[in-house]
Amino acid sequence: MIDISKAKIKLIASLRERKHRRELGLFAVEGTKSVLDTLPYFRLHMLTATTAWIDTHDASVPATGTTYRATAAQLSQMSTLSTAPDVIAVYELPHMPVPSAPELRGNVTLLLDDIQDPGNLGTIVRCADWFGVRNIVASPHTVDIFNPKAIQSSMGALSRVKVSYSPLEDFLDNCPDIPLYGTLLSGSNIYEASLPGEALIVMGNEGRGISEEIRRRIDIGLLIPSWPPGAPVVDSLNVAMATAIVLGEWRRPR
């Protein structure tokens, strides 16, 4: 077992910024649950943990990568969390190609139009995992899925949900036969709609909603109605909450 060096501490701490993740081709995952959930799915570069954590979980750590011993104070220097975790895993950034139309047949795919908040993105990935959505295609201006807060909010779901990035117009040009749904104030009541097993569902930006370019391409608009009808309510739902409602309704037996 090797004690972690100051250089490694600096490297891991730098991964909180997107430019360093891209330059180094690495990203970090913090905390026991998230690390154990992701270890089987990503290529481990190195793992840093307390002696107690290593002694308890040694059998779960793959032979690839180097394991470093660190104190709680050292882990605090590397962590983005308010309370330092017992373990931080550093993985190689995976290549996540944009799925083709044949790969999406028979299932629901989420499209994200410029989601900005990493917590929202991570929660959306977690919802997708729960409801069996395996592909998310995000616009180039959507926040990086390997942002530490996005990873933390996904609670390990990133292991099973592939998030790729593409201009949504280009992606839609390659999926002309799959219907595109979107949540719109002018849409039909989602609780009364007939929802197919194969669909693209676009969720919009936190501030402006779905962009006009994508809005024009929506085949069927859906509305999540407030209750009771006509009563004063908040202006809108949080995009992650709206995604959970939409996917939950999509999976409801009819």
Side-chain angles (χ1 to χ4, degrees):
M1 193 185 306
I2 307 170
D3 289 331
I4 194 164
S5 65
K6 290 182 179 179
K8 295 296 184 186
I9 292 174
K10 184 178 179 180
L11 182 150
I12 294 173
S14 76
L15 296 178
R16 65 190 65 180
E17 296 184 27
R18 182 171 187 166
K19 67 176 182 178
H20 294 305
R21 293 194 294 272
R22 298 302 173 188
E23 287 171 2
L24 298 169
L26 302 171
F27 73 101
V29 174
E30 304 180 46
T32 297
K33 183 183 187 314
S34 293
V35 168
L36 293 180
D37 280 349
T38 51
L39 274 172
Y41 297 95
F42 298 104
R43 185 172 178 81
L44 183 66
H45 179 73
M46 62 179 171
L47 185 139
T48 304
T50 62
T51 300
W53 193 96
I54 294 169
D55 289 344
T56 303
H57 299 92
D58 185 60
S60 301
V61 180
T64 58
T66 305
T67 299
Y68 294 95
R69 177 173 50 204
T71 65
Q74 290 171 322
L75 284 159
S76 181
Q77 294 177 49
M78 297 176 268
S79 176
T80 62
L81 304 176
S82 55
T83 301
D86 291 330
V87 59
I88 299 175
V90 176
Y91 299 107
E92 295 180 9
L93 276 175
H95 176 56
M96 292 189 172
V98 178
S100 62
E103 295 176 77
L104 307 179
R105 293 298 182 193
N107 210 332
V108 172
T109 301
L110 278 178
L111 309 186
L112 304 182
D113 189 7
D114 292 2
I115 301 299
Q116 296 299 294
D117 183 82
N120 282 339
L121 178 57
T123 303
I124 288 170
V125 172
R126 187 176 177 182
C127 290
D129 185 35
W130 184 263
F131 289 110
V133 174
R134 294 295 163 236
N135 284 285
I136 295 176
V137 179
S139 64
H141 293 297
T142 293
V143 65
D144 182 18
I145 185 54
F146 297 107
N147 176 291
K149 187 175 179 181
I151 291 175
Q152 201 66 31
S153 300
S154 76
M155 295 296 290
L158 189 58
S159 303
R160 294 168 294 275
V161 180
K162 185 176 79 170
V163 181
S164 53
Y165 288 77
S166 168
L168 296 185
E169 297 93 330
D170 294 347
F171 173 76
L172 291 170
D173 286 342
N174 292 318
C175 299
D177 299 328
I178 304 178
L180 177 63
Y181 289 76
T183 50
L184 302 172
L185 291 176
S186 59
S188 303
N189 188 329
I190 190 171
Y191 303 122
E192 300 171 353
S194 176
L195 305 176
E198 179 178 288
L200 306 175
I201 307 171
V202 61
M203 306 302 296
N205 172 270
E206 291 91 340
R208 60 166 171 75
I210 300 170
S211 63
E212 187 57 38
E213 295 82 0
I214 302 302
R215 187 187 298 258
R216 287 196 296 264
R217 303 183 69 152
I218 290 175
D219 297 304
I220 301 172
L222 297 172
L223 170 70
I224 301 172
S226 60
W227 188 263
V233 292
V234 296
D235 290 339
S236 62
L237 288 172
N238 169 279
V239 65
M241 294 172 60
T243 302
I245 293 170
V246 168
L247 292 181
E249 190 62 19
W250 225 278
R251 297 310 192 196
R252 182 170 66 84
R254 282 172 167 75

